[in-house]
Coordinates of all heavy atoms in Angstrom, one line a residue:
M1 N 0.9 -1.2 0.0 CA 0.0 -0.1 0.0 C 0.8 1.2 0.0 O 1.0 1.9 0.9 CB -0.9 0.0 1.2 CG -2.0 -1.0 1.2 SD -3.4 -0.5 0.3 CE -4.1 0.5 1.6
T2 N 1.5 1.5 -1.0 CA 2.3 2.7 -1.1 C 1.7 3.6 -2.1 O 1.7 3.4 -3.3 CB 3.8 2.5 -1.6 OG1 3.7 1.7 -2.7 CG2 4.6 1.7 -0.5
S3 N 0.9 4.6 -1.6 CA 0.2 5.5 -2.5 C 0.7 6.9 -2.3 O 0.0 7.7 -1.8 CB -1.3 5.4 -2.2 OG -1.5 5.7 -0.9
R4 N 2.0 7.1 -2.7 CA 2.5 8.5 -2.6 C 2.5 9.2 -3.9 O 3.3 9.9 -4.2 CB 3.9 8.4 -2.0 CG 4.9 7.6 -2.8 CD 6.2 7.7 -2.2 NE 6.4 7.1 -0.9 CZ 7.6 7.0 -0.4 NH1 8.6 7.5 -0.9 NH2 7.8 6.5 0.9
G5 N 1.6 8.7 -4.7 CA 1.6 9.3 -6.1 C 0.8 10.6 -6.2 O -0.1 10.8 -7.0
R6 N 1.1 11.5 -5.2 CA 0.5 12.8 -5.2 C 1.3 13.8 -5.9 O 1.7 14.8 -5.2 CB 0.2 13.1 -3.7 CG -1.0 12.4 -3.3 CD -1.8 13.4 -2.3 NE -3.2 12.8 -2.1 CZ -4.3 13.5 -1.9 NH1 -4.2 14.8 -1.9 NH2 -5.4 13.0 -1.7
T7 N 1.6 13.6 -7.1 CA 2.3 14.6 -7.8 C 1.5 15.9 -8.2 O 0.3 15.7 -8.6 CB 2.9 14.1 -9.1 OG1 1.9 13.4 -9.8 CG2 4.1 13.1 -8.8
K8 N 2.0 16.9 -7.9 CA 1.2 18.2 -8.1 C 1.5 18.8 -9.5 O 2.5 19.1 -9.8 CB 1.4 19.2 -7.0 CG 0.5 19.1 -5.8 CD 0.7 20.3 -4.9 CE -0.3 20.1 -3.7 NZ -0.2 21.2 -2.8
K9 N 0.4 18.9 -10.2 CA 0.6 19.5 -11.5 C 0.3 21.1 -11.3 O -0.3 21.4 -10.3 CB -0.3 18.8 -12.6 CG 0.2 17.5 -13.1 CD -0.6 17.2 -14.3 CE 0.1 15.9 -14.9 NZ -0.8 15.4 -16.1
E10 N 0.6 21.8 -12.4 CA 0.4 23.2 -12.3 C -1.0 23.5 -12.3 O -1.5 24.3 -11.6 CB 1.1 23.9 -13.4 CG 2.6 23.7 -13.4 CD 3.3 24.7 -14.2 OE1 3.0 26.0 -14.2 OE2 4.4 24.4 -14.7
K11 N -1.8 22.7 -13.1 CA -3.2 22.9 -13.1 C -3.9 21.7 -12.9 O -3.6 20.7 -13.5 CB -3.7 23.5 -14.5 CG -3.1 22.7 -15.6 CD -3.9 22.9 -16.9 CE -3.5 21.9 -17.9 NZ -4.5 21.9 -19.1
Q12 N -4.8 21.7 -12.0 CA -5.6 20.5 -11.7 C -7.0 20.7 -11.3 O -7.4 20.5 -10.1 CB -4.9 19.5 -10.8 CG -4.5 20.3 -9.5 CD -4.2 19.2 -8.4 OE1 -4.8 18.2 -8.3 NE2 -3.2 19.6 -7.6
P13 N -7.7 21.5 -12.2 CA -9.1 21.9 -11.7 C -10.1 20.8 -11.9 O -11.2 20.9 -11.5 CB -9.3 23.1 -12.6 CG -8.5 22.8 -13.9 CD -7.4 21.9 -13.5
F14 N -9.6 19.7 -12.7 CA -10.6 18.7 -12.9 C -10.6 17.6 -11.9 O -9.8 16.7 -11.9 CB -10.3 18.2 -14.3 CG -11.3 17.4 -15.1 CD1 -12.6 17.4 -14.5 CD2 -11.0 16.8 -16.2 CE1 -13.6 16.6 -15.1 CE2 -12.1 16.1 -16.9 CZ -13.3 16.0 -16.3
E15 N -11.5 17.8 -10.9 CA -11.5 16.9 -9.8 C -12.3 15.6 -10.1 O -13.4 15.8 -10.5 CB -12.0 17.6 -8.6 CG -11.0 18.5 -7.8 CD -11.5 18.8 -6.4 OE1 -11.7 17.8 -5.7 OE2 -11.7 19.9 -6.2
P16 N -11.6 14.4 -9.9 CA -12.4 13.3 -10.0 C -13.4 13.0 -8.9 O -13.2 13.6 -7.8 CB -11.4 12.2 -10.1 CG -10.2 12.8 -9.3 CD -10.3 14.3 -9.5
G17 N -14.4 12.2 -9.1 CA -15.3 11.9 -8.1 C -15.2 10.5 -7.6 O -14.0 10.0 -7.3
L18 N -16.2 9.8 -7.6 CA -16.2 8.4 -7.1 C -15.5 7.5 -8.1 O -15.7 7.6 -9.3 CB -17.6 7.9 -6.7 CG -18.3 8.7 -5.6 CD1 -19.7 8.2 -5.4 CD2 -17.5 8.5 -4.4
I19 N -14.9 6.4 -7.6 CA -14.5 5.4 -8.4 C -15.5 4.3 -8.5 O -16.0 3.8 -7.5 CB -13.2 4.7 -7.8 CG1 -12.0 5.8 -7.6 CG2 -12.6 3.6 -8.6 CD1 -10.9 5.5 -6.6
P20 N -15.9 4.0 -9.7 CA -16.9 3.0 -9.9 C -16.5 1.6 -9.4 O -15.3 1.3 -9.5 CB -17.4 3.0 -11.3 CG -16.2 3.6 -12.0 CD -15.5 4.4 -11.0
A21 N -17.5 0.8 -8.9 CA -17.1 -0.6 -8.6 C -16.8 -1.4 -9.8 O -17.3 -1.0 -10.9 CB -18.2 -1.2 -7.8
P22 N -15.9 -2.4 -9.7 CA -15.6 -3.2 -10.9 C -17.0 -3.7 -11.6 O -17.9 -4.1 -10.9 CB -14.9 -4.5 -10.2 CG -14.4 -3.9 -9.0 CD -15.3 -2.8 -8.5
G23 N -17.1 -3.6 -12.8 CA -18.3 -3.9 -13.6 C -19.2 -2.8 -13.8 O -20.2 -3.0 -14.5
H24 N -19.0 -1.7 -13.0 CA -19.9 -0.6 -13.2 C -19.4 0.5 -14.2 O -18.2 0.3 -14.5 CB -20.1 0.1 -11.8 CG -21.0 -0.6 -10.9 ND1 -22.1 -0.2 -10.3 CD2 -20.9 -2.0 -10.5 CE1 -22.7 -1.1 -9.6 NE2 -22.0 -2.2 -9.7
L25 N -20.2 1.4 -14.6 CA -19.8 2.2 -15.6 C -19.3 3.6 -15.0 O -19.8 4.0 -14.0 CB -21.0 2.6 -16.6 CG -21.5 1.3 -17.3 CD1 -22.6 1.7 -18.2 CD2 -20.4 0.6 -18.1
L26 N -18.4 4.1 -15.7 CA -17.9 5.5 -15.3 C -18.9 6.6 -15.8 O -19.6 6.3 -16.8 CB -16.6 5.9 -16.0 CG -15.4 5.1 -15.6 CD1 -14.2 5.1 -16.6 CD2 -14.9 5.6 -14.3
V27 N -19.0 7.6 -15.0 CA -19.8 8.7 -15.4 C -18.9 9.8 -15.9 O -18.3 10.5 -15.1 CB -20.7 9.3 -14.3 CG1 -21.5 10.4 -14.7 CG2 -21.6 8.1 -13.8
W28 N -18.8 9.9 -17.1 CA -18.0 11.0 -17.8 C -18.9 12.0 -18.6 O -19.0 11.7 -19.7 CB -16.9 10.4 -18.7 CG -15.8 9.8 -17.8 CD1 -15.7 9.8 -16.5 CD2 -14.5 9.3 -18.5 NE1 -14.4 9.3 -16.2 CE2 -13.7 8.9 -17.3 CE3 -14.1 9.1 -19.8 CZ2 -12.5 8.3 -17.5 CZ3 -12.9 8.5 -19.9 CH2 -12.1 8.1 -18.8
R29 N -19.5 12.8 -17.9 CA -20.5 13.7 -18.6 C -19.7 15.0 -18.9 O -20.2 15.8 -19.7 CB -21.6 14.0 -17.7 CG -22.5 12.9 -17.6 CD -23.8 13.1 -16.9 NE -24.6 11.9 -16.8 CZ -25.6 11.7 -16.1 NH1 -26.1 12.8 -15.4 NH2 -26.4 10.6 -15.9
D30 N -18.8 15.3 -18.2 CA -18.0 16.6 -18.4 C -17.4 16.7 -19.7 O -16.7 15.7 -20.2 CB -16.9 16.7 -17.2 CG -16.5 18.2 -17.2 OD1 -15.9 18.8 -18.1 OD2 -16.8 18.8 -16.0
S31 N -17.5 17.8 -20.4 CA -17.0 18.0 -21.7 C -15.4 17.9 -21.7 O -14.8 17.7 -22.8 CB -17.5 19.2 -22.3 OG -17.0 20.4 -21.5
R32 N -14.9 18.0 -20.5 CA -13.3 18.0 -20.5 C -12.9 16.6 -20.8 O -11.7 16.4 -20.9 CB -12.9 18.5 -19.2 CG -12.9 20.0 -19.1 CD -12.6 20.5 -17.7 NE -13.6 20.3 -16.8 CZ -13.6 20.7 -15.5 NH1 -12.6 21.4 -15.1 NH2 -14.7 20.4 -14.8
H33 N -13.8 15.5 -20.7 CA -13.4 14.2 -21.0 C -13.2 14.1 -22.5 O -12.6 13.1 -23.0 CB -14.3 13.3 -20.5 CG -14.3 13.1 -19.1 ND1 -13.2 12.5 -18.4 CD2 -15.3 13.3 -18.1 CE1 -13.4 12.5 -17.1 NE2 -14.7 12.9 -16.8
F34 N -13.6 15.1 -23.2 CA -13.5 14.9 -24.7 C -12.6 16.0 -25.3 O -12.8 17.2 -25.2 CB -15.0 15.1 -25.3 CG -15.1 14.8 -26.7 CD1 -15.3 13.5 -27.1 CD2 -14.9 15.7 -27.7 CE1 -15.4 13.2 -28.5 CE2 -15.0 15.3 -28.9 CZ -15.1 14.1 -29.4
D35 N -11.5 15.5 -25.9 CA -10.5 16.4 -26.5 C -11.1 16.7 -28.0 O -11.1 15.8 -28.8 CB -9.2 15.9 -26.6 CG -8.1 16.9 -26.9 OD1 -8.5 17.8 -27.8 OD2 -7.0 16.8 -26.4
H36 N -11.5 17.9 -28.2 CA -12.1 18.2 -29.5 C -10.9 18.4 -30.6 O -11.2 18.5 -31.8 CB -12.9 19.5 -29.5 CG -14.2 19.4 -28.6 ND1 -15.3 19.0 -29.1 CD2 -14.2 19.6 -27.2 CE1 -16.2 19.0 -28.1 NE2 -15.5 19.3 -26.9
W37 N -9.8 18.5 -30.1 CA -8.7 18.9 -31.1 C -7.9 17.7 -31.6 O -7.6 17.6 -32.8 CB -7.7 19.8 -30.4 CG -8.4 21.0 -29.9 CD1 -8.7 21.3 -28.5 CD2 -9.0 22.1 -30.6 NE1 -9.3 22.5 -28.4 CE2 -9.5 23.0 -29.7 CE3 -9.1 22.3 -31.9 CZ2 -10.3 24.1 -30.2 CZ3 -9.7 23.5 -32.4 CH2 -10.3 24.3 -31.5
Q38 N -7.6 16.7 -30.8 CA -7.0 15.6 -31.4 C -7.2 14.3 -30.6 O -7.6 14.3 -29.5 CB -5.5 15.8 -31.2 CG -5.1 16.1 -29.7 CD -3.5 16.2 -29.6 OE1 -2.8 15.8 -30.6 NE2 -3.0 16.8 -28.6
A39 N -7.1 13.2 -31.4 CA -7.2 11.9 -30.8 C -5.8 11.4 -30.5 O -4.9 11.5 -31.3 CB -7.9 11.0 -31.7
L40 N -5.6 10.8 -29.3 CA -4.4 10.2 -28.9 C -4.5 8.8 -28.8 O -5.6 8.3 -28.5 CB -3.8 10.9 -27.7 CG -3.5 12.4 -27.8 CD1 -3.1 12.9 -26.5 CD2 -2.2 12.5 -28.9
P41 N -3.5 8.0 -28.9 CA -3.6 6.4 -28.6 C -4.0 6.2 -27.2 O -3.4 6.7 -26.3 CB -2.2 6.0 -28.9 CG -1.3 7.1 -29.2 CD -2.1 8.3 -29.3
C42 N -5.0 5.4 -27.1 CA -5.5 4.9 -25.7 C -4.3 4.3 -25.0 O -3.6 3.4 -25.6 CB -6.7 4.1 -26.0 SG -7.2 3.2 -24.6
T43 N -4.2 4.6 -23.8 CA -3.1 4.0 -23.0 C -3.4 2.5 -22.7 O -2.4 1.8 -22.3 CB -2.8 4.7 -21.7 OG1 -4.1 4.7 -20.9 CG2 -2.3 6.1 -21.8
L44 N -4.6 2.2 -22.9 CA -4.8 0.7 -22.7 C -4.9 -0.2 -23.9 O -4.4 -1.3 -23.9 CB -6.2 0.6 -21.9 CG -6.2 1.3 -20.4 CD1 -7.5 1.3 -19.9 CD2 -5.1 0.5 -19.6
C45 N -5.5 0.4 -25.0 CA -5.6 -0.5 -26.2 C -4.9 0.0 -27.3 O -4.8 -0.7 -28.3 CB -7.1 -0.6 -26.5 SG -7.9 0.8 -27.4
G46 N -4.4 1.2 -27.3 CA -3.5 1.8 -28.3 C -4.3 2.4 -29.5 O -3.6 3.0 -30.4
Q47 N -5.6 2.3 -29.5 CA -6.4 2.9 -30.6 C -6.5 4.4 -30.3 O -6.6 4.7 -29.2 CB -7.7 2.2 -30.7 CG -7.6 0.8 -31.1 CD -7.0 0.5 -32.5 OE1 -7.4 1.2 -33.4 NE2 -6.0 -0.4 -32.5
P48 N -6.6 5.1 -31.4 CA -6.8 6.6 -31.1 C -8.1 6.9 -30.4 O -9.2 6.3 -30.7 CB -6.9 7.2 -32.5 CG -6.3 6.2 -33.4 CD -6.6 4.8 -32.8
T49 N -8.1 7.8 -29.5 CA -9.4 8.2 -28.8 C -9.4 9.7 -28.5 O -8.2 10.2 -28.1 CB -9.5 7.4 -27.5 OG1 -10.6 7.9 -26.9 CG2 -8.4 7.5 -26.5
P50 N -10.4 10.4 -28.5 CA -10.5 11.8 -28.1 C -10.8 11.8 -26.6 O -10.9 12.8 -26.1 CB -11.7 12.3 -29.0 CG -12.6 11.1 -29.1 CD -11.7 9.9 -29.2
M51 N -11.0 10.7 -26.0 CA -11.5 10.7 -24.6 C -10.2 10.8 -23.7 O -9.2 10.4 -24.0 CB -12.2 9.4 -24.2 CG -13.5 9.2 -25.0 SD -14.7 10.5 -24.9 CE -15.2 10.3 -23.2
R52 N -10.5 11.6 -22.5 CA -9.5 11.8 -21.6 C -9.9 11.5 -20.1 O -11.1 11.8 -19.8 CB -9.0 13.3 -21.6 CG -8.4 13.8 -22.9 CD -7.1 13.2 -23.3 NE -6.6 13.7 -24.6 CZ -6.9 13.1 -25.8 NH1 -7.5 12.0 -25.8 NH2 -6.5 13.7 -26.9
S53 N -9.0 11.0 -19.4 CA -9.4 10.7 -17.9 C -9.3 12.1 -17.3 O -8.9 13.0 -17.8 CB -8.5 9.7 -17.3 OG -7.2 10.3 -17.2
H54 N -9.6 12.0 -16.0 CA -9.4 13.3 -15.2 C -7.9 13.8 -15.2 O -7.7 15.0 -15.0 CB -9.8 13.1 -13.7 CG -11.3 12.9 -13.7 ND1 -12.1 11.7 -13.8 CD2 -12.3 13.9 -13.5 CE1 -13.3 12.0 -13.6 NE2 -13.5 13.3 -13.4
S55 N -7.0 12.8 -15.2 CA -5.6 13.1 -15.4 C -5.2 13.5 -16.7 O -3.9 13.4 -16.9 CB -4.8 12.1 -14.6 OG -5.1 10.8 -15.2
E56 N -6.1 13.6 -17.6 CA -5.8 13.9 -19.0 C -5.1 12.7 -19.7 O -4.3 12.8 -20.6 CB -5.0 15.1 -19.2 CG -5.8 16.4 -18.7 CD -5.0 17.7 -18.9 OE1 -3.9 17.5 -19.5 OE2 -5.5 18.7 -18.3
E57 N -5.3 11.5 -19.2 CA -4.7 10.3 -19.8 C -5.7 9.9 -20.9 O -6.9 9.8 -20.8 CB -4.6 9.1 -18.8 CG -3.9 8.0 -19.2 CD -3.8 6.9 -18.1 OE1 -4.3 7.3 -16.9 OE2 -3.2 5.9 -18.4
P58 N -5.1 9.8 -22.2 CA -6.0 9.3 -23.3 C -6.5 7.9 -23.0 O -5.6 7.1 -23.0 CB -5.2 9.6 -24.5 CG -3.6 9.6 -24.1 CD -3.7 10.0 -22.6
V59 N -7.7 7.8 -23.0 CA -8.3 6.4 -22.8 C -9.6 6.3 -23.1 O -10.4 7.3 -22.9 CB -8.0 6.0 -21.3 CG1 -8.9 6.8 -20.3 CG2 -8.3 4.5 -21.1
H60 N -10.1 5.2 -23.8 CA -11.4 5.1 -24.1 C -12.2 4.9 -22.7 O -11.7 4.2 -21.9 CB -11.7 3.9 -24.9 CG -11.1 3.9 -26.3 ND1 -10.0 3.3 -26.7 CD2 -11.6 4.6 -27.4 CE1 -9.7 3.6 -28.0 NE2 -10.6 4.4 -28.4
K61 N -13.4 5.4 -22.6 CA -14.2 5.2 -21.5 C -14.4 3.8 -21.2 O -14.2 3.2 -20.1 CB -15.5 5.9 -21.5 CG -16.4 5.8 -20.4 CD -17.6 6.8 -20.5 CE -18.6 6.6 -19.4 NZ -19.4 5.3 -19.7
A62 N -14.7 3.0 -22.3 CA -14.9 1.6 -22.2 C -13.7 0.8 -21.6 O -13.7 -0.2 -20.9 CB -15.5 1.0 -23.4
C63 N -12.5 1.3 -22.3 CA -11.3 0.6 -21.8 C -11.0 0.9 -20.3 O -10.6 0.0 -19.6 CB -10.1 1.2 -22.6 SG -10.1 0.6 -24.3
A64 N -11.3 2.2 -19.9 CA -11.1 2.4 -18.5 C -12.0 1.6 -17.6 O -11.6 1.1 -16.5 CB -11.3 4.0 -18.2
E65 N -13.2 1.3 -18.0 CA -14.1 0.6 -17.4 C -13.7 -0.9 -17.2 O -13.7 -1.6 -16.2 CB -15.6 0.6 -17.9 CG -16.2 2.0 -17.7 CD -17.3 2.3 -18.6 OE1 -17.5 1.6 -19.6 OE2 -17.9 3.3 -18.4
D66 N -13.2 -1.4 -18.3 CA -12.5 -2.8 -18.3 C -11.5 -2.9 -17.4 O -11.1 -3.9 -16.8 CB -12.1 -3.1 -19.8 CG -13.4 -3.4 -20.7 OD1 -14.5 -3.5 -20.1 OD2 -13.2 -3.5 -22.0
W67 N -10.6 -1.7 -17.5 CA -9.4 -1.8 -16.6 C -9.8 -1.8 -15.2 O -9.1 -2.6 -14.4 CB -8.5 -0.5 -16.9 CG -7.3 -0.4 -16.1 CD1 -6.0 -1.1 -16.5 CD2 -7.1 0.1 -14.9 NE1 -5.1 -0.9 -15.6 CE2 -5.7 -0.1 -14.5 CE3 -7.9 0.9 -14.0 CZ2 -5.2 0.4 -13.3 CZ3 -7.4 1.3 -12.9 CH2 -6.1 1.1 -12.5
I68 N -10.8 -1.1 -14.8 CA -11.3 -1.2 -13.4 C -11.7 -2.5 -13.0 O -11.3 -3.1 -12.0 CB -12.3 -0.1 -13.1 CG1 -11.8 1.4 -13.2 CG2 -13.0 -0.3 -11.9 CD1 -12.8 2.4 -13.3
T69 N -12.4 -3.1 -13.9 CA -12.9 -4.5 -13.6 C -11.7 -5.5 -13.6 O -11.8 -6.4 -12.7 CB -13.9 -4.9 -14.8 OG1 -14.8 -4.0 -14.9 CG2 -14.5 -6.3 -14.4
A70 N -10.7 -5.2 -14.4 CA -9.6 -6.1 -14.4 C -8.6 -5.9 -13.2 O -7.9 -6.8 -12.8 CB -9.0 -6.2 -15.7
N71 N -8.6 -4.6 -12.8 CA -7.6 -4.2 -11.8 C -8.4 -3.6 -10.6 O -8.1 -2.4 -10.3 CB -6.6 -3.3 -12.4 CG -5.9 -4.0 -13.6 OD1 -4.9 -4.7 -13.4 ND2 -6.4 -3.7 -14.7
P72 N -9.2 -4.3 -9.9 CA -10.0 -3.6 -8.9 C -9.2 -3.1 -7.8 O -9.7 -2.0 -7.2 CB -10.9 -4.8 -8.3 CG -10.3 -6.0 -8.9 CD -9.5 -5.8 -10.0
V73 N -8.1 -3.7 -7.4 CA -7.3 -3.2 -6.4 C -6.6 -1.8 -6.7 O -6.7 -0.8 -6.1 CB -6.2 -4.2 -5.9 CG1 -5.4 -3.6 -4.8 CG2 -6.9 -5.4 -5.4
E74 N -5.9 -1.9 -7.9 CA -5.3 -0.7 -8.4 C -6.3 0.4 -8.7 O -6.0 1.7 -8.6 CB -4.5 -1.0 -9.6 CG -3.3 -0.1 -9.9 CD -2.5 -0.5 -11.1 OE1 -2.6 -1.7 -11.6 OE2 -1.9 0.3 -11.6
A75 N -7.5 0.0 -9.1 CA -8.5 1.0 -9.4 C -8.9 1.9 -8.2 O -9.2 3.0 -8.3 CB -9.8 0.4 -9.9
R76 N -8.6 1.3 -7.0 CA -9.0 2.0 -5.8 C -8.1 3.2 -5.7 O -8.5 4.2 -4.9 CB -8.9 1.1 -4.5 CG -9.8 0.0 -4.6 CD -11.2 0.5 -4.1 NE -12.2 0.6 -5.3 CZ -13.3 1.2 -5.3 NH1 -13.7 1.9 -4.4 NH2 -14.1 1.0 -6.4
L77 N -6.9 3.2 -6.3 CA -6.0 4.3 -6.1 C -6.5 5.5 -7.0 O -6.0 6.6 -6.8 CB -4.7 3.9 -6.6 CG -4.0 2.7 -5.9 CD1 -2.7 2.3 -6.4 CD2 -3.8 3.0 -4.4
G78 N -7.5 5.3 -7.8 CA -8.1 6.4 -8.4 C -7.5 6.9 -9.8 O -7.7 8.0 -10.2
R79 N -7.0 5.8 -10.5 CA -6.6 6.2 -11.8 C -7.7 6.7 -12.7 O -7.6 7.7 -13.4 CB -5.9 5.0 -12.5 CG -5.3 5.2 -13.9 CD -4.7 3.9 -14.4 NE -4.2 4.2 -15.8 CZ -3.6 3.3 -16.5 NH1 -3.6 2.0 -16.1 NH2 -3.1 3.5 -17.6
F80 N -8.9 6.0 -12.6 CA -10.1 6.4 -13.4 C -11.2 6.6 -12.4 O -11.4 5.6 -11.6 CB -10.4 5.3 -14.4 CG -9.2 5.2 -15.4 CD1 -8.8 3.8 -15.5 CD2 -8.8 6.2 -16.2 CE1 -7.8 3.6 -16.3 CE2 -7.7 5.9 -17.1 CZ -7.2 4.6 -17.2
A81 N -11.8 7.7 -12.5 CA -13.0 7.9 -11.7 C -14.2 8.5 -12.4 O -13.9 9.2 -13.5 CB -12.6 8.7 -10.5
S82 N -15.3 8.5 -11.8 CA -16.5 9.2 -12.4 C -16.3 10.6 -12.1 O -15.5 11.1 -11.2 CB -17.7 8.7 -11.8 OG -17.9 7.4 -12.3
D83 N -17.2 11.5 -12.7 CA -17.2 12.9 -12.4 C -17.8 13.1 -11.1 O -18.5 12.2 -10.5 CB -18.1 13.6 -13.4 CG -17.4 13.6 -14.8 OD1 -16.2 13.5 -14.8 OD2 -18.2 13.9 -15.8
L84 N -17.5 14.2 -10.5 CA -18.0 14.6 -9.2 C -19.6 14.7 -9.4 O -20.1 15.2 -10.4 CB -17.5 15.9 -8.7 CG -16.2 15.8 -8.1 CD1 -15.7 17.3 -7.9 CD2 -16.2 15.2 -6.8
A85 N -20.3 14.2 -8.4 CA -21.7 14.4 -8.5 C -22.0 15.9 -8.5 O -21.6 16.5 -7.8 CB -22.4 13.6 -7.4
P86 N -23.0 16.2 -9.2 CA -23.5 17.7 -9.3 C -24.1 18.0 -7.9 O -24.7 17.1 -7.2 CB -24.5 17.7 -10.4 CG -25.0 16.3 -10.5 CD -23.8 15.5 -10.2
K87 N -24.0 19.2 -7.6 CA -24.5 19.6 -6.3 C -26.0 19.4 -6.3 O -26.7 19.7 -7.2 CB -24.1 21.1 -6.1 CG -22.7 21.4 -5.8 CD -22.4 22.8 -5.6 CE -20.9 23.0 -5.4 NZ -20.5 24.4 -5.5
P88 N -26.4 18.9 -5.1 CA -27.8 18.6 -5.0 C -28.6 20.0 -5.1 O -28.4 20.8 -4.3 CB -28.0 18.0 -3.7 CG -26.7 18.4 -2.9 CD -25.7 18.5 -3.9
K89 N -29.5 20.0 -6.1 CA -30.3 21.1 -6.2 C -31.7 20.6 -6.8 O -31.7 19.6 -7.2 CB -29.7 22.1 -7.3 CG -28.9 23.2 -6.8 CD -28.5 24.1 -8.0 CE -27.8 25.4 -7.6 NZ -27.6 26.4 -8.6
S90 N -32.6 21.5 -6.5 CA -34.0 21.2 -6.9 C -34.0 21.0 -8.4 O -34.7 20.2 -9.0 CB -35.0 22.2 -6.4 OG -34.5 23.5 -6.7
E91 N -33.2 21.9 -9.2 CA -33.3 21.7 -10.6 C -31.8 21.4 -11.0 O -30.9 22.2 -10.5 CB -33.8 23.0 -11.3 CG -33.4 24.3 -10.6 CD -34.1 25.4 -11.2 OE1 -34.8 25.3 -12.1 OE2 -33.9 26.6 -10.6
S92 N -31.7 20.5 -11.8 CA -30.4 20.1 -12.1 C -29.8 20.5 -13.5 O -28.9 20.0 -14.0 CB -30.3 18.5 -12.1 OG -31.3 17.9 -13.1
K93 N -30.5 21.5 -14.0 CA -29.9 22.1 -15.4 C -30.0 23.6 -15.4 O -30.7 24.1 -14.5 CB -30.8 21.4 -16.5 CG -32.2 21.8 -16.4 CD -32.9 21.2 -17.6 CE -34.4 21.5 -17.5 NZ -35.1 21.1 -18.7
G94 N -29.5 24.1 -16.3 CA -29.5 25.5 -16.4 C -28.3 26.2 -16.0 O -28.3 27.4 -15.8
Q95 N -27.3 25.5 -15.7 CA -26.1 26.1 -15.2 C -25.3 26.6 -16.5 O -24.8 25.8 -17.3 CB -25.2 25.2 -14.4 CG -25.7 25.0 -13.0 CD -24.6 24.8 -12.0 OE1 -23.5 24.5 -12.3 NE2 -24.9 25.0 -10.8
G96 N -25.0 27.9 -16.6 CA -24.2 28.4 -17.7 C -22.8 27.8 -17.8 O -22.2 27.7 -16.8
D97 N -22.5 27.3 -18.9 CA -21.2 26.7 -19.1 C -20.3 27.7 -19.6 O -19.9 27.7 -20.8 CB -21.4 25.6 -20.1 CG -20.5 24.2 -19.7 OD1 -20.0 24.4 -18.6 OD2 -20.2 23.5 -20.5
H98 N -19.6 28.4 -18.7 CA -18.6 29.4 -19.2 C -17.3 28.7 -19.6 O -17.0 27.7 -19.0 CB -18.5 30.4 -18.1 CG -19.7 31.1 -17.8 ND1 -20.2 32.2 -18.5 CD2 -20.4 31.1 -16.7 CE1 -21.2 32.6 -18.0 NE2 -21.5 31.9 -16.8
V99 N -16.7 29.3 -20.5 CA -15.4 28.7 -20.9 C -14.2 29.2 -20.0 O -14.3 30.3 -19.6 CB -15.1 29.2 -22.3 CG1 -13.7 28.6 -22.7 CG2 -16.0 28.6 -23.3
Ligands
LIG101 ZN1 -8.9 1.9 -25.6

């Protein structure tokens, strides 16, 4: 259990939320998971993907889910996580998406 992987990047505004249980799906609704400019080889399968993890690792969402299922222990360290749950509000939409 050595989890000293707390490297600080200059920018890390993209906070991950919960780590899904093995076999469950990631919730990647945030547009930051999608790189509109380029596809990079997925770190898991090597195929190009516009998808990014919270740490900006190029990875297919489905590949990340498979990886969590295949590596449940390592997954707990938070390599891939779902988005943070939106704040509980009576209405869940209508938040302006400023750039
Ligand atoms: Zn992949």
Side-chain angles (χ1 to χ4, degrees):
M1 291 272 283
T2 51
S3 59
R4 58 172 70 175
R6 282 219 163 208
T7 46
K8 271 193 180 174
K9 281 191 176 181
E10 299 200 35
K11 52 157 192 172
Q12 46 160 328
F14 198 5
E15 281 199 58
L18 294 175
I19 300 159
H24 287 232
L25 299 181
L26 289 161
V27 178
W28 280 4
R29 292 185 180 172
D30 197 293
S31 60
R32 282 174 288 182
H33 284 297
F34 190 88
D35 190 328
H36 296 268
W37 303 108
Q38 62 176 340
L40 293 173
C42 170
T43 55
L44 295 177
C45 77
Q47 298 298 312
T49 176
M51 299 303 291
R52 302 288 183 268
S53 74
H54 286 88
S55 55
E56 297 181 9
E57 191 177 356
V59 65
H60 295 104
K61 181 170 171 288
C63 287
E65 288 159 354
D66 284 349
W67 181 87
I68 288 170
T69 304
N71 305 274
V73 177
E74 203 179 339
R76 292 288 111 196
L77 300 177
R79 183 178 179 187
F80 304 118
S82 291
D83 289 341
L84 282 170
K87 288 178 184 170
K89 262 189 172 183
S90 46
E91 39 188 355
S92 59
K93 57 178 180 176
Q95 286 213 340
D97 215 18
H98 300 285
V99 175

